Amino acid sequence: MNKTTSSLAALLDITLDHRGDQPLYMQLAQALRRVILAGRIVPGAKLPSSRSYARELSVSRATIVTAYDQLIAEGYLQGRHGAGVFVVDGLPDDILQVRKYREQRKNIRPPVPALRPFQTNSPDMRLFPHQKWARLFQRIWSNPQSGLVADQDPLGWWPLRQEIAGHLMNWRGFDCQADQVVITSGARESIWIIADALLEPKDRVACEDPGYDLFSRVLSRAGIAIDHIPVDNKGMQIDVLNTLKPQPRCAIITPSRQYPLGVTMPLLRRLQLLKWARSVNGFIVEDDYDSEYRYTGQPLPALLSLEQQSPVIYLGSFSKVFSKSLRLGYLVVP
């Protein structure tokens, strides 16, 4: 039964070009030959009768008979008197090897890396509230708001932008409005948007060294040159940044907890960085990748909160605290 079912499925996938230059029986013979070589029709499987297969393909019975006869002559099929046409059992070794290889490939699964300490881009998914998530998902989508299924604002769903603005006001200490929030799929898309909107191929961008190399890779692919600025125990060295010629148009930093060293940029250096951005008519991208994680006390104020008219674009994500597979990030733009 399994042989017959799988073979019928493979045969019903075959389509013929009735307007093509090649005769239909030749098209069918070639298609049957391919599915046999690919192992989609197993040795010993019975093929449909010429009459029923002709109805399925909307061709004459003579087309099916001629194609079958061709493959019988080539040794792919064999006719059994009174029983029908079958794929031969004794296929050549090369055909069997192809089929064996396909079976081996079918059973291969890419290894899933185990969660390990210092895998900083993954929360502990054992703590994910699966049952609560399922209840909320069912409640929302059983009677969705019209805005969830309508054409979306290109900057993101408005209620979500409002909630993020409120969260940042309470948690990060800066006053932003929902119309400053841009929903993205994460840090990669956020940097792409910034590069596309604000940078030219002649511009340069300062990145921390060591730092999050994703930013350097994305910007390099966009044709943007990278200046690697060393990091000390207070973060990016602004005195080195000031000596660059030509000056970068943008600096990307992780001031609250530098990645990967974990140091915090003190207030004086933050003010120096803001002064640098104004002096070159540039801007700063503040990657606040894990500000929700605190052991004690309140989170440090974001760089964006230090000036009313700040030249800072704030980049955030919920991958670290919720789920990286959700692909939910955001920008706060001036």
Side-chain angles (χ1 to χ4, degrees), residues 202-215:
K202 63 180 176 59
D203 292 329
R204 306 184 70 85
V205 171
C207 292
E208 297 168 321
D209 184 19
Y212 189 30
D213 64 350
L214 171 69
F215 296 148

Side-chain angles (χ1 to χ4, degrees), residues 238-268:
I238 310 304
D239 55 344
V240 176
L241 178 62
N242 282 317
T243 63
L244 295 179
K245 293 181 181 180
Q247 280 284 285
R249 167 90 169 121
C250 166
I252 302 178
I253 61 166
T254 50
S256 296
R257 181 162 35 245
Q258 199 277 334
Y259 182 88
L261 299 183
V263 300
T264 298
M265 181 177 285
L267 177 60
L268 178 59

